Amino acid sequence: MVNYKELGLVNTRDMFAKAVKGGYAIPAFNFNTMEQMQAIVQAAVETKSPVIMQVSKGARKYANATILRYMAQGAVEYAKELGCANPQIVLHLDHGDSFELCKDCIDMGFSSVMIDGSSLPYEENIALTKKVVEYAHKYDVTVEAELGVLAGVEDEVASEVSHYTKPEEVVDFATRTGCDSLAISIGTSHGAYKFKPEQCTRDPKTGKLVPPPLAFDVLEAIEKQLPGFPIVLHGSSSVPQDEVDTINKYGGKLPDAVGIPEEQLRKAAKSAVCKINIDSDSRLAMTAAIRQHFAENPSHFDPRQYLAPARENMKKMYIHKILNVLGSNDKL
C-alpha cells in the first residue's frame, strides 16, 4: 500500500471547494508520456495553478502502474525544483470501470479516482460507486462519479449517443453514494470528433463546423438541486483548428474535427463546474508539432529533436487553457 501523501500529492476536496467558491475550474489534463507530464508541471508552476494529472485505464497500462507512481512523485519534486514551494498536484484515475481497478490505483498512490458506472442501470451505478467510495474514503482518497452518458470515443470509453444527466436524480445519487464530485452530461463529448457534421452548422465565411451549444439549462437545474456541489465536465477539448490545420498541412487526415467552443467552457468554469477534462487538445498539439518538425527536418531521427518542440507546444496550450479558459491561475 502506497499512500499518496507519501508522494507529496493532494486529493481534490479543498481544491474543488475553493474553485466552486472562486468561480473557476481546475485543469484536468490527461497524460501518457514523460513529455506530457513535464509540460503539465511547467505550465502549472508558471501560472501558479493547482492541477490534476489524470490517466485512463489504457494510459496506465501503456505507462506501467509502478512507473506512474514514481512519475507522480517526480512531478511534485519537479514542481518544487521549478520554484513552486507548495505544489497542488492530484494523480487521478479517469474513467475507472471496476472496483478492482479503482482499488489498485488507490493502493498504488492515486489521490483521486473516478468510478464510471454511467453505462449501468441506475441502482447498479449507485451500488458500484458506493463500494468504491467506502474503500477510497478509508485512505482519504476522493471519488468522482458519473451520471449521464457522453458520446464519442476515448480509449476504452465509447458511446454512439449521449444521454443528458437527469437533474431529478442527482440529489439521490450523491447522497446514497457519498461521492465527492459528479461528472455530468450536458453535451460535451469525447475525442477529436465530438459532433457529426449533421449536428453542426457551417460558418459561411470559413466553412468550418460550428457545434451545437451546451445544455446550460441542464447544468443550472443540477446546480439548483445540488448547490455548491463539485461538478465535472468530461470531453471538453476545444480541438483548436490551428493545430488541426497544421496536422492536415503536413500529411495528416483529420476532416471535420470539431470541439467545444472555449467561450462555452469559460461560462461553465464560472459555475459549480470545478474540474474540466482536456485530453484531445494535448494530443493534437503534440502531433501537430511532431508532424511539422518531421516535414521541416527530414534528416532528424533523435527523439529529443522532435519531442522537445512537441513538449513546448503542449505547454503553450496548457498555459492558454489555465489563463484564458479555466481561470485557475494565481490560486496557489
Side-chain angles (χ1 to χ4, degrees), residues 41-292:
V41 173
Q42 290 169 7
V45 169
E46 290 188 24
T47 59
K48 299 178 181 176
S49 173
V51 71
I52 296 168
M53 301 195 320
Q54 58 185 28
V55 291
S56 64
K57 178 182 177 181
R60 188 168 183 255
K61 183 179 179 181
Y62 175 83
N64 176 268
T66 302
I67 289 175
L68 267 177
R69 184 215 322 174
Y70 289 106
M71 286 180 77
Q73 185 175 23
V76 175
E77 296 305 316
Y78 183 38
K80 292 178 181 178
E81 186 180 302
L82 292 174
C84 182
N86 185 32
Q88 299 289 296
I89 298 175
V90 174
L91 179 62
H92 175 75
L93 171 65
D94 189 24
H95 288 290
D97 61 359
S98 69
F99 171 79
E100 290 74 19
L101 175 60
C102 291
K103 179 182 182 299
D104 193 44
C105 287
I106 293 165
D107 293 348
M108 288 290 282
F110 279 61
S111 57
S112 176
V113 295
M114 178 200 186
I115 179 64
D116 182 1
S118 60
S119 63
L120 299 172
Y122 181 72
E123 290 296 331
E124 291 182 29
N125 188 359
I126 286 179
L128 177 59
T129 301
K130 183 179 180 182
K131 185 177 181 181
V132 172
V133 168
E134 288 174 347
Y135 186 79
H137 282 184
K138 290 180 185 178
Y139 304 101
D140 200 27
V141 170
T142 42
V143 179
E144 175 186 327
E146 182 165 344
L147 261 182
V149 179
L150 273 67
V153 178
E154 180 183 30
D155 283 3
E156 297 87 356
V157 181
S159 178
E160 281 291 322
V161 295
S162 65
H163 301 284
Y164 286 168
T165 303
K166 299 176 181 177
E168 63 271 19
E169 292 180 344
V170 295
V171 173
D172 179 68
F173 185 88
T175 302
R176 290 172 61 191
T177 63
C179 65
D180 300 287
S181 59
L182 185 63
I184 64 170
S185 174
I186 59 168
T188 55
S189 180
H190 291 128
Y193 297 91
K194 298 188 182 300
F195 305 98
K196 297 176 181 177
E198 57 267 28
Q199 294 176 284
C200 307
T201 57
R202 285 198 183 269
D203 186 317
K205 295 181 180 178
T206 64
K208 300 286 187 182
L209 292 177
V210 179
L214 299 180
F216 281 100
D217 56 331
V218 175
L219 173 59
E220 290 166 6
I222 291 169
E223 285 184 293
K224 287 181 181 178
Q225 293 291 324
L226 283 175
F229 194 82
I231 300 299
V232 177
L233 285 188
H234 284 243
S236 296
S237 285
S238 59
V239 187
Q241 287 304 301
D242 57 339
E243 305 291 8
V244 173
D245 291 344
T246 298
I247 290 171
N248 291 338
K249 177 181 178 181
Y250 293 107
K253 192 175 182 182
L254 292 175
D256 292 332
V258 62
I260 309 299
E262 289 188 340
E263 60 268 22
Q264 294 197 46
L265 296 174
R266 275 192 289 271
K267 180 179 178 181
K270 291 182 171 68
S271 70
V273 172
C274 62
K275 173 178 180 273
I276 291 181
N277 290 13
I278 297 168
D279 186 2
S280 295
D281 286 355
S282 174
R283 299 179 183 192
L284 293 168
M286 187 175 202
T287 300
I290 290 172
R291 279 193 173 275
Q292 181 172 350

